[in-house]
Amino acid sequence: MKKQFTCIVCPNGCEIEAEVENGQVIAVTGHTCPRGEQYVRQELTAPRRTIASSVLVKGGELPVTSVRLTKAVPKDMIFPVMDEIRKVVLTAPVKAGTIVLHNVCGLDSDVMVTKNVDAC
């Protein structure tokens, strides 16, 4: 069976085709760099995603701050990770780079603040 992908790894957006038989990747064509092939193979065997979100900030100039994962997590774990992120409430001041959840859901990825929020 042939499957079509548009690579999201770099700005080229290669149209990649993968040939899959019995759950095994037989061939990958259409990529212009090795990262495209790696992306498609990962998508077919164990898809992973990064998450960018926001968390509440008490006493800050802004009501929320942005956060992101430090590593991609399995796609089927997005909702459990988001459940944990929703529980986080910070108190201003908040500094970018601060880790607010270590090893979220045991996935070897941390939740990190990406925007400073000063206190009011």
Side-chain angles (χ1 to χ4, degrees), residues 7 11 23-24 28 39-40 49 53 65 70 80 90 92 96 110 114-115:
C7 185
Q24 297 293 323
V28 178
Y39 165 74
V40 168
R49 298 289 185 271
S53 187
T65 189
T70 57
L90 303 174
D110 299 331
T114 59
K115 181 175 181 65

Side-chain angles (χ1 to χ4, degrees), residues 13-30:
C14 296
E15 295 296 325
I16 301 174
E17 184 175 271
E19 179 74 27
V20 181
E21 289 182 15
N22 300 321
Q24 297 293 323
V25 180
I26 305 303
V28 178
T29 58

Side-chain angles (χ1 to χ4, degrees), residues 59-112:
E61 292 181 328
L62 299 171
V64 296
T65 189
S66 55
V67 295
R68 69 169 177 84
L69 295 180
T70 57
K71 284 184 176 179
V73 297
K75 188 176 176 182
D76 64 350
M77 290 299 293
I78 290 173
F79 290 111
V81 169
M82 282 304 302
D83 288 343
E84 294 303 310
I85 290 172
R86 277 190 211 96
K87 295 176 187 175
V88 174
V89 178
L90 303 174
T91 302
V94 177
K95 299 293 178 201
T98 303
I99 302 297
V100 295
L101 287 174
H102 290 280
N103 194 27
V104 65
C105 296
L107 297 171
D108 192 34
S109 184
D110 299 331
V111 178
M112 180 177 67

